Amino acid sequence: MSTDKTNSAWGGRFSEATDAFVQRFTASVEFDQRMYAQDIQGSVAHATMLTKVGVLTEAERDEIIQGLGEIKTDIEAGNFEWSIALEDVHMNIEAALTKKIGITGKKLHTGRSRNDQVATDIRLYLRGEVDHLSGELTRLQQGLIELASKEADTIMPGFTHLQTAQPVTFGHHLLAWNEMLERDFARLQDCRKRINVLPLGAAALAGTTYPIDREYTAQLLGFDGATENSLDSVSDRDFAIEFTSAAALIMMHLSRFSEELVLWASAQFNFIDLPDRFCTGSSIMPQKKNPDVPELVRGKSGRIFGHLMSLLTLMKGQPLAYNKDNQEDKEPLFDTVDNLAGCLRAFADMMPHVVSKKEVMREAALRGFSTATDLADYLVRKGVPFRDSHEIVGSAVGYGVKSGKDLGEMELSELQQFGDMITQDVFSVLTLEGSVSARDHLGGTAPKQVTAAAKRATERLLKR
Ligand code: ARG
């Protein structure tokens, strides 16, 4: 990256060159150059609009568009020298244009400012990223739903307080994750609406004296419309905060999934096998197979929560309109996008290959008195008030703890010590299959319901 003594964009007002350190300190080109394509796209639309309203000639427009196209090619081929002295992506590209096409290049900035330009670039950039992330989210959901269909009747213990509570199906558990992602997708789509509005035309803060046609620029760039107020346009970063907040929620969900995968893959749970290619070994302990992917995803949630806090804090003290503080929006935003994309990709790639250990899950559900509530419901059906049946089953469980037997393993005579209304038919409710199949309603864990829920979930995906 090169550094120059003066900056031609404002050299006229200044009698000495910027301090070399200050030049580096205030520059953003090292990170905002990633928006070069959006910057060029915005400039092409701006020049096209200026021509439509008679500010540029068609020949000037064509020269500008041609020059910008060549610059894009140069950047993508690695033949572009970014300069710190030119501070940011906007001035680097504008200077290169002028170098390429001469005086016409200097006309591109007519009727705009870097303030509305940068706001436009970020919105274009983020819109594209939201679409990419939405695609990754959908891919992950597809994998989850497919796995859930296959695991519709796999029985595992369901937990509350991480204590065995009641048997559930693994498919049902996986579809719980899918519901979280469904809301995440909706949040991304909702925030996209507020991203997809054109701020260009606000110029520095007050608008411009040229007869610009903002609706036309908006249309050229695929925005749903133009922003209402010039002061708000250059200073608003709500859309970036909303996006980061949606990203933080996604990461919170992925972190919860990760925690469960890590637990389940442990020797103590041993519920699942993660594919080797998503795990790593230990340099000292030969037996180790570590669930690094979910662990790292769980860890990365922290930095994204942090970025949300950074952006909120960045904005809280700013008076209208644009302030240089806003330059600090980019790194948290870019890092959020990059890490979220990585986490979603890893999960979408890995999820379809998670293998359940059905026998182990079943064994675990058999232990821990997971059908105790079923026994209580059975007694209620025999006329016992629920509070009394709760008490009776509590005693039976206490006996089971002492004698080392689960409820389904007791003899009828042993169960009858706790209530003589208990008869042979009790064993059908004490089985795991009986327990899950009985929860046969919308949102319940019965295999039949899981299959139907997976089908509805797929239909929702197909409507996207
Ligand atoms: N690099 C700047 C940013 O990211 C672009 C806008 C600069 N505007 C200004 N008036 N200094 O916010």
Side-chain angles (χ1 to χ4, degrees):
M1 198 143 329
S2 73
T3 50
D4 293 338
K5 286 238 154 27
T6 54
N7 186 316
S8 57
W10 56 70
R13 161 79 176 75
F14 285 68
S15 54
E16 61 174 355
T18 316
D19 176 90
F21 170 70
V22 171
Q23 196 172 73
R24 269 182 284 123
F25 183 68
T26 54
S28 55
V29 65
E30 282 187 70
F31 48 84
D32 66 16
Q33 58 180 268
R34 83 150 69 186
M35 300 193 300
Y36 74 91
Q38 292 79 16
D39 196 70
I40 289 172
Q41 191 189 0
S43 291
V44 167
H46 182 63
T48 306
M49 182 278 291
L50 288 180
T51 307
K52 179 174 181 262
V53 301
V55 174
L56 292 181
T57 67
E58 286 182 8
E60 286 169 335
R61 175 198 62 197
D62 293 348
E63 259 186 284
I64 287 173
I65 293 178
Q66 166 81 20
L68 288 170
E70 287 170 21
I71 290 170
K72 189 165 183 226
T73 309
D74 290 345
I75 294 172
E76 283 167 1
N79 292 333
F80 189 90
E81 211 198 324
W82 297 99
S83 156
I84 296 265
L86 291 165
E87 200 177 308
D88 55 29
V89 61
H90 325 292
M91 293 202 290
N92 268 269
I93 291 178
E94 194 192 319
L97 181 68
T98 300
K99 203 164 149 208
K100 225 180 238 300
I101 67 171
I103 187 156
T104 309
K106 295 188 179 179
K107 296 189 178 180
L108 171 62
H109 212 50
T110 312
R112 77 173 182 187
S113 147
R114 280 185 297 151
N115 298 352
D116 58 346
Q117 188 178 357
V118 69
T120 304
D121 290 4
I122 308 172
R123 284 170 184 268
L124 286 172
Y125 161 79
L126 198 52
R127 181 179 72 187
E129 295 298 340
V130 163
D131 291 344
H132 170 72
L133 293 165
S134 301
E136 288 294 82
L137 206 50
T138 301
R139 197 162 69 83
L140 168 55
Q141 287 187 266
Q142 267 160 357
L144 265 181
I145 297 166
E146 260 163 54
L147 188 61
S149 309
K150 279 190 248 157
E151 305 282 358
D153 53 14
T154 305
I155 292 177
M156 66 180 283
F159 301 93
T160 59
H161 314 269
L162 201 58
Q163 309 287 316
T164 299
Q166 292 171 351
V168 294
T169 50
F170 186 39
H172 193 53
H173 194 114
L174 294 169
L175 288 182
W177 292 359
N178 182 57
E179 285 306 302
M180 302 179 204
L181 299 177
E182 187 70 23
R183 294 191 292 275
D184 290 330
F185 183 88
R187 266 186 284 273
L188 281 183
Q189 298 314 301
D190 188 55
C191 106
R192 191 189 192 281
K193 291 183 209 153
R194 282 174 294 280
I195 293 172
N196 203 30
V197 192
L198 174 83
L200 203 65
L205 76 165
T208 175
T209 53
Y210 298 94
I212 57 173
D213 182 348
R214 300 185 60 219
E215 290 298 339
Y216 181 61
T217 315
Q219 205 187 318
L220 290 174
L221 292 172
F223 284 115
D224 296 327
T227 51
E228 276 289 334
N229 179 289
S230 65
L231 294 167
D232 179 52
S233 304
V234 290
S235 65
D236 170 34
R237 294 295 182 269
D238 293 4
F239 64 92
I241 297 175
E242 275 189 59
F243 166 78
T244 309
S245 154
L249 274 163
I250 299 174
M251 287 304 298
M252 181 270 283
H253 291 149
L254 295 184
S255 181
R256 294 182 68 186
F257 305 170
S258 295
E259 173 68 8
E260 293 194 312
L261 292 174
V262 170
L263 285 173
W264 293 345
S266 70
Q268 287 65 29
F269 273 81
N270 195 28
F271 282 5
I272 57 164
D273 215 5
L274 293 173
D276 283 2
R277 62 187 182 283
F278 292 97
C279 297
T280 61
S282 158
S283 53
I284 174 168
M285 297 166 285
Q287 84 283 14
K288 291 296 285 287
K289 174 175 157 183
N290 297 327
D292 284 38
V293 168
E295 287 176 289
L296 195 57
V297 169
R298 187 176 58 191
K300 280 180 184 292
S301 60
R303 69 200 282 165
I304 293 183
F305 299 173
H307 294 327
L308 174 59
M309 200 42 69
S310 300
L311 290 175
L312 283 166
T313 312
L314 173 67
M315 297 309 295
K316 78 177 271 290
Q318 287 196 48
L320 286 172
Y322 177 88
N323 301 283
K324 183 74 168 180
D325 313 42
N326 282 348
Q327 184 165 293
E328 284 288 306
D329 62 358
K330 284 166 209 65
E331 286 161 294
L333 188 62
F334 295 162
D335 190 75
T336 299
V337 166
D338 292 344
N339 281 288
L340 180 57
C343 293
L344 284 173
R345 177 183 170 166
F347 255 74
D349 289 351
M350 178 180 70
M351 246 2 262
H353 307 288
V354 169
V355 177
S356 66
K357 297 186 175 172
K358 298 185 175 40
E359 271 317 304
V360 183
M361 285 182 167
R362 200 189 145 75
E363 266 305 306
L366 279 173
R367 276 178 277 117
F369 306 97
S370 69
T371 54
T373 316
D374 299 85
L375 179 57
D377 290 342
Y378 167 87
L379 294 173
V380 168
R381 286 196 295 277
K382 297 264 169 168
V384 181
F386 184 77
R387 275 296 150 223
D388 293 342
S389 76
H390 186 285
E391 170 97 28
I392 293 171
V393 177
S395 311
V397 167
Y399 168 79
V401 171
K402 266 185 247 131
S403 60
K405 289 183 186 171
D406 202 275
L407 295 170
E409 293 166 342
M410 293 179 193
E411 300 294 334
L412 181 60
S413 57
E414 287 177 291
L415 286 165
Q416 281 173 334
Q417 304 172 70
F418 306 100
D420 51 16
M421 70 298 279
I422 300 176
T423 52
Q424 188 60 36
D425 60 354
V426 73
F427 292 105
S428 67
V429 309
L430 294 183
T431 66
L432 299 174
E433 285 73 16
S435 173
V436 293
S437 302
R439 286 160 172 83
D440 188 16
H441 53 77
L442 177 69
T445 193
K448 211 169 88 190
Q449 293 293 340
V450 173
T451 303
K455 198 162 157 263
R456 287 194 301 275
T458 303
E459 279 158 15
R460 285 191 306 214
L461 287 193
L462 292 174
K463 281 198 204 117
R464 285 182 180 172

